[in-house]
Each structure stands twice: as structure tokens, then as C-alpha cells.
Amino acid sequence: MPLERADAARRAIRRLDESEANRIAAGEVVERPASVAKELVENALDAGARAILVEAEGGGIDRLVVADDGDGIPREELALAVERHATSKLVRAQDGGLDLLDIATLGFRGEALPSIGAVARLAIASEARGAGAAFRIAVEAGRAEPVAPAARAQGPGTRVEVADLFFATPARLKFLKSPRAEAMALADAVRRLAMAHPRTAFRLVMDGRRLLDLPAVEAEGEAEALAARLAAVLGRTFSENAVPLNAARAIAPFGEARLRGLAGLPTAARGAPTHQFLFVNGRPVRDKLLQGAVRGAYADFLARDRHPEVALFLDLDPRFVDVNVHPAKTEVRFRDAGIIRGLIVSGLRHALAEAGHRASTTVAGAALGRFRAEGATPAGLPGLGLGDPRLGYARPLAPVTSEPGFAAAGLDEHAGDAAFDGAPPAGAEAHASAAEEAPPLGFARAQLHETYILAEAADGLVLVDQHAAHERLVYERMKRALAASGIARQVLLIPEIVELEEGAARALLARAGELEELGLLVEPFGSGALVVREVPAMLGPLDVQGLVRDLADEVVDLDAALSLKERLQEVAGNMACRSSVRAGRVLKIDEMNALLREMEATPHSGQCNHGRPTYVKLARADIEKLFGRR
Ligand code: ADP
Ligand code: MG
């Protein structure tokens, strides 16, 4: 049934007045306190702030303040700043037109301040550089007051205060989550911006508690600065369990696109994609294309429901990317998405290959934690930190100093004795390995439960899941063979005929070419059946029927977001699983040692095809601590 209008007569078209238009625009730009904070912090960054203070009360719904020491707004522009479609950030080209594709600032639409003013109580006090005096303007539910002198006179900068968000649009207020949930989202938004702008000091105070206190990083190189800020924001656990990444690709005629950051080890993956931080030219984004590329890069290592932790910074000529496709500017569009996807996938894969057989230290930490008496601090194990020279990050990290000071910039919060709870977790120092000659995974000493290999290394004890490890090795071997010359195939003496559902058979045969590359030769055999003539030689004897049925299932519900190649690699992973050493098989010491040596020599061997660790290494020093010997 069609919705009935109050009165049936058609109404004439009427132009919305400014405050109505602003309220509608606000619906897109100002979704919740976190989006207000994001817009205001972006404005501060665009104004060249060296220090930014964010204060929030009641999840940012009751009150939100963003203060900066940037260029400020001149008195005569204050009224314009809160008007819709008024911005200082778009520069007219010589022909008088606007170049919307050459945007170097975070803002450009002139919508944030009027939108906020339309739905809340907004007050802006600002001192423009060189003005020597401050002025203020207030807007309530869309009505602006005249500009007036302000008390603030502590040097250039701007202080924006937003109170009673959505008081003017009670319907929207109902869509907010609890103040606690809004506070978390707000902190997340500030943290993301802070990650991408290491040269600016950030302080976040919520309900009087200082949640974030990040000094401006003074390291010389951009990569170093980024690394220092990431470590400060994300903590040691993340940086210890991630590999640095630095890759570039030509995007002619726009120079090159560069990808920097940290790629979390697959064994440190999480159940939700909450720890994926993606940035394009300093702008935090949640872009499907970028997320898909990350998925694709890890498809080889992770089960479908596991999500890697990554912090990726993509920097490229603004003309190659359109940021004007989403109201909150969190999605972007690239001129050539394929190049960018390729850069991300290959950059991540390369970085992960560099990790060799490393599994994450969190695995050992968790294992030790189980043993440890309550109350003891969890120990870290040696890991590849941010200081790793592979990224060109300096070692040790350049010192950070808190300059410019918040007090000096007139950005003191009223928090007073707020507790500082953003301190890095107290971790154990890295333990140097005792003997250089002994292999990292040590020598096999015993097989336990016919499933685990116990090995003794110079600096600790290693426990290997023989099935998981072997499966990964077979898989890596297959990939190498595939890359080199295509997988060697073995002709079946008697071809196997496999009966399938009509559709499944067709779907599988449609991919016969790619299957052949993987060493499996299938041909049609009447309707609903196919014949397998050759199989990958490296798999040895195998259950052809079962394999083809599995493949058919997988091809039928192929995830459209992943490319076929990635999925077939996953299928190859399953092939590897079928042919690998089962748990429950007795191994000789020589066989066990061979497995250990191959793991050391094989990239990605620290995790199985589903992202679970293939081994745990307990450092000798930690074991000693466990027994109170240290
Ligand atoms: P946009 O950022 O898209 O230009 P906004 O509504 O966020 O639109 O801001 C309008 C204008 O107000 C900006 O173009 C800028 O000139 C000025 N402005 C806003 N916030 C600040 C700030 N913190 N410091 C200096 N200028 C600011
Ligand atoms: Mg803005």
C-alpha cells in the first residue's frame, strides 16, 4: 500500500532555507560525536596545528572541545566560517574553475561548521596569526550571533566548543549509542588521525581522564616519524608482532604511489577487522577496495573469519585519487584501482615473506600466561620491532620530546590531576640468543603424543605441531613450483570419472585452465560428470574423487570479493592439507630435524594456512622465570 500524504493535493516546489538545508547536510556529515571530532581535528590539521587538544564529556554528546595552535581565523572571516559552502581550502585555477581533483587539505566542502551549528550549540574562539586579538562567534540550532571579542589571547589558534549535540534534532539523538560507546568511537577517530600525523602533538581528555598524550615526533625521516607514532598509539604488542612495509609503484604521469606501515603477522590476527588502519594521504579511510586488497594479501594465511592487524599509509599525488565520493570522506576512488590494489597486495605479501618462519610473540606470551601464577606480568619474547632496519626505520627509534608544549600553546585542559592510563604496557626486555650456530628452531629431541615435535634450541624450547607445519611446507612448495614452471603433473594410469551435479561440473570445468596450472587436468565426460586425467605429482597418491568434490564445492560458492587465483591458492592449501603428515604419525628424529630445517628456510612457515601458529617457542629465560630461577 502506498504511503498516504496528509493532503492529497500536490505541493509546489519550494527552496529550503539555509538552516533547513544545513540540517539535512548535517545528517550526512555529522553522524555522531566521533564525526564531529574528526571534522574539527581535520580543520585543526588543515590550519597547520602543531598541538591539538580534544576534550569530551558524556561521550562528546554533552560537550566536545577541540583546541589548536594553528593559523586561526581572522575576525572578518568568522561569520563566513559557519556559513554553508564557504571554505578557504579550494583554490581557483587560472581559468576560474575549481579543481576538485587537486585537493591537498583534509577538508574542502565548507560543510562541517555550519552542519554542527545546525544541530548543536557551537562556539568558536580564534586568534588569527599576527592579529594579536581573539574573536568569537556562536551558533545555536542554526542561528548565528554577531562576532564579538573573545578573552582568548594566548597566541594564534582556534578553540571550537560543541555542546548538546543534536539538541536541535531530537530524532537524531535517539540514534546515538550509549555515552560509553560514543566515547570509544570518538577516541578511535582521534587515534586514527593522530596515527597519520606524527608531527602534531595530540592530547585526548575524556570526562577528566587523559586517554591519549602524544608528543610531536621529531624523528627526521617520514618513515621513522610514522613508526614512532604507531608504536606510541598502538603499543608494543602490535609493533612487535608486525613486519614493516615500504613499497612503491609508478602511477604515470603522477610519479609514484608509496605504501608504508606495519603488517601484522597472521598468527596475531583477530576475530574482527577492528585493528585495520588505512590512510590515504593522511586521511583515515574505510574503503572497500583497500580492505579487499588486505584480505586478498592475507588470503593465503588466514581462515575467512580471521582478520589481520595492519596500519597502512598510502601516499600519492592527490590528482590520482578522488576523495569527493563520500559525505564523511572515508571512501576514496582511484584513477586506476588495479594499480593500487596490486601495490597493497604485493607490498603486504613481500613484507610477510620477509618475516620468514616467524610466528607472533603473542603465541608464546599466551602459552606462558597459561602456566604463570596469577598476578605476574606477561613476558614479551624477542621480536622484530619497529626499529628493524628493513624499513629504513632508525634503530633505536629517534627520541620524542613534548614540544610544542600544550601549556605554551594555551591548550591546557581543565583536567588537572587526570590519571594517565595510556602508558605502554610493562614488557620484558628482549633476550639475546645465546648461541649463534644452533638453528633457531633447535634440534628435535622427542615426539610427543605422535603429534608434537619437541626441539631444543640454544635459547629456548620449541614445540611444533607437525601436521600444521608440514601442511604449510607442502603448500609453499606448491606455490614455488607453480611460480617456477607450473606444477608437475602425474598422468593417472586409469583416468578417474567423477559424477557431480550438473551445475557444479560446469562451474569446475569453466575453471579447467586454472586447475591445470595447479596440476589438475579435468575434462568433460557427459553431462554432470568429468574425467580427471592428471593430478599434481607432488601430492603423491590421493583421493581424486574427494578432491574434485571439494574443489567443486569451493568453486560454486566462490567468494566474489577475492580473485579466482587467490581462491585457488586457498584450494591448493586444502590440497596441501590432504597430503601432509597427519597428526598421529610417528616420525624419526631425522625426519623431525628435516622438518625443522625446512621450516627455517621457508617463508610463511610460522603459521598454517588458517593463520594458526605452527610452533611455539618458549625462551629459556622465560622458562627460568616461570620456575622462579630468575
Ligand atoms: P572545510 O574544512 O571543508 O573548509 P569547515 O566548515 O570545516 O569547512 O570550515 C570552514 C572554514 O573555516 C575552513 O575552510 C577554514 O578556513 C576555517 N576553519 C575551520 N576550523 C578552523 C581551525 N581550527 N583553524 C583555522 N581555520 C579554521
Ligand atoms: Mg573542515
Side-chain angles (χ1 to χ4, degrees):
M1 200 182 81
L3 279 179
E4 271 181 71
R5 284 185 305 187
D7 60 321
R10 177 186 180 274
R11 292 192 192 157
I13 296 175
R14 160 179 89 81
R15 208 179 285 276
L16 299 178
D17 70 31
E18 165 122 356
S19 79
E20 289 168 326
N22 282 343
R23 220 170 271 183
I24 289 168
E28 298 186 315
V29 183
V30 184
E31 195 194 340
R32 58 195 299 194
S35 41
V36 177
K38 172 183 167 291
E39 292 292 338
L40 297 181
V41 170
E42 286 184 352
N43 279 347
L45 288 166
D46 281 343
R50 308 286 300 142
I52 298 173
L53 166 69
V54 181
E55 273 185 285
E57 274 154 40
I61 305 165
D62 299 343
R63 185 169 161 273
L64 176 65
V65 175
V66 175
D68 67 62
D69 61 350
D71 293 334
I73 308 171
R75 171 188 195 168
E76 61 278 12
E77 288 179 27
L78 266 177
L80 211 49
V82 296
E83 250 177 56
R84 191 124 173 269
H85 300 158
T87 178
S88 59
K89 299 171 192 175
L90 288 179
V91 189
R92 279 190 198 284
Q94 302 207 311
D95 62 6
L98 286 174
D99 192 353
L100 276 172
L101 290 178
D102 190 7
I103 294 167
T105 50
L106 294 166
F108 55 86
R109 291 206 193 105
E111 277 182 343
L113 294 180
S115 296
I116 296 165
V119 298
R121 296 180 225 277
L122 168 72
I124 306 172
S126 190
E127 178 180 334
R129 197 168 295 285
F135 296 88
R136 71 188 300 272
I137 189 167
V139 184
E140 264 198 44
R143 274 183 307 280
E145 283 169 23
V147 174
R152 185 185 203 283
Q154 295 148 313
T158 303
R159 179 186 172 90
V160 181
E161 180 162 348
V162 180
D164 302 325
L165 184 64
F166 296 139
F167 89 95
T169 49
R172 298 202 59 108
L173 198 54
K174 293 206 192 87
F175 282 96
L176 291 181
K177 303 209 175 97
S178 68
R180 209 187 129 71
E182 294 300 337
M184 278 170 63
L186 195 156
D188 185 62
V190 175
R191 230 176 250 129
R192 279 175 198 259
L193 282 163
M195 285 164 71
H197 300 274
R199 306 292 185 188
T200 301
F202 280 81
R203 184 174 286 177
L204 172 63
V205 182
M206 300 244 242
D207 295 319
R209 285 170 22 118
R210 203 180 281 182
L211 289 188
L212 206 60
D213 199 358
L214 303 165
V217 179
E218 293 209 322
E220 254 179 42
E222 280 316 298
E224 291 164 83
L226 217 50
R229 179 52 66 85
L230 281 185
V233 176
L234 297 175
R236 263 179 60 129
T237 315
F238 176 75
S239 46
E240 273 180 1
N241 291 292
V243 286
L245 177 134
N246 191 356
R249 212 165 253 210
I251 48 168
F254 299 106
E256 60 172 29
R258 181 158 293 277
L259 183 71
R260 287 203 190 91
L262 285 177
L265 291 172
T267 41
R270 299 179 165 243
T274 44
H275 280 59
Q276 298 188 346
F277 305 98
L278 308 172
F279 304 85
V280 176
N281 289 344
R283 186 189 296 283
V285 294
R286 294 171 198 271
D287 192 81
K288 289 257 162 51
L289 165 85
L290 300 180
Q291 284 164 354
V294 171
R295 260 218 99 81
Y298 279 85
D300 232 17
F301 316 106
L302 285 180
R304 208 55 71 75
D305 59 345
R306 302 293 292 166
H307 303 271
E309 298 185 298
V310 295
L312 300 179
F313 300 84
L314 182 66
D315 287 292
L316 72 179
D317 190 314
R319 284 169 297 172
F320 196 78
V321 46
D322 188 355
V323 292
N324 195 21
V325 294
H326 186 268
K329 294 165 285 179
T330 54
E331 280 171 33
V332 291
R333 204 157 288 156
F334 298 101
R335 263 178 206 246
D336 183 340
I339 294 186
I340 300 303
R341 187 174 201 280
L343 171 61
I344 295 172
V345 173
S346 72
L348 282 170
R349 288 226 173 115
H350 188 79
L352 291 171
E354 293 271 297
H357 67 272
R358 263 181 76 202
S360 60
T361 61
T362 47
V363 174
L368 280 167
R370 297 263 162 87
F371 289 128
R372 205 173 288 274
E374 278 187 52
T377 43
L381 287 175
L384 180 73
L386 279 162
D388 190 78
R390 278 179 236 173
L391 185 57
Y393 287 169
R395 180 198 294 270
L397 291 174
V400 290
T401 54
S402 81
E403 190 273 328
F406 280 86
L411 297 183
D412 257 336
E413 80 261 25
H414 316 292
D417 58 346
F420 178 81
D421 58 4
E429 70 293 345
H431 312 288
S433 84
E436 240 53 348
E437 323 81 47
L441 295 181
F443 295 110
R445 293 290 178 234
Q447 187 186 26
L448 311 175
H449 304 298
E450 296 176 356
T451 301
Y452 305 103
I453 298 167
L454 178 65
E456 181 184 345
D459 54 347
L461 174 161
V462 178
L463 204 55
V464 178
D465 177 334
Q466 68 186 41
H467 172 66
H470 192 253
E471 176 186 329
R472 189 71 206 182
L473 293 177
V474 171
Y475 179 59
E476 291 297 332
R477 235 184 274 156
M478 278 181 74
K479 279 204 309 190
R480 276 200 303 275
L482 179 65
S485 58
I487 287 180
R489 301 199 297 262
Q490 159 122 44
V491 180
L492 291 176
L493 274 182
I494 307 160
E496 287 241 18
I497 292 156
V498 187
E499 304 273 353
L500 292 169
E501 254 178 51
E502 176 91 52
R506 223 180 306 117
L508 202 55
L509 285 166
R511 268 123 189 153
E514 281 125 320
L515 289 174
E516 191 176 338
E517 267 180 38
L518 285 166
L520 194 72
L521 193 68
V522 293
E523 288 168 6
F525 194 77
S527 78
L530 42 83
V531 57
V532 180
R533 298 196 182 278
E534 298 176 18
V535 296
M538 64 199 300
L539 293 189
L542 82 167
D543 166 15
V544 175
Q545 297 278 342
L547 174 66
V548 171
R549 275 176 218 290
D550 284 359
L551 281 171
D553 285 349
E554 278 161 331
V555 171
V556 166
D557 31 75
L558 188 72
D559 189 338
L562 296 177
S563 77
L564 180 67
K565 178 100 183 168
E566 284 154 6
R567 282 304 310 269
L568 284 172
Q569 277 190 331
E570 204 180 308
V571 173
N574 294 339
M575 286 178 163
C577 179
R578 289 168 165 275
S579 66
S580 59
V581 172
R582 291 271 154 212
R585 204 188 107 188
V586 179
L587 295 177
K588 295 198 210 64
I589 288 286
D590 285 351
E591 290 176 312
M592 292 191 263
N593 276 324
L595 190 77
L596 294 175
R597 298 298 79 79
E598 196 178 342
M599 285 174 72
E600 283 157 3
T602 306
H604 311 308
S605 62
Q607 65 270 320
C608 79
N609 300 340
H610 312 289
R612 288 186 294 273
T614 54
Y615 74 93
V616 183
K617 183 169 186 174
L618 304 181
R620 191 168 170 178
D622 284 329
I623 298 172
E624 284 168 355
K625 275 194 220 148
L626 194 62
F627 292 104
R629 285 168 163 268
R630 277 190 170 223

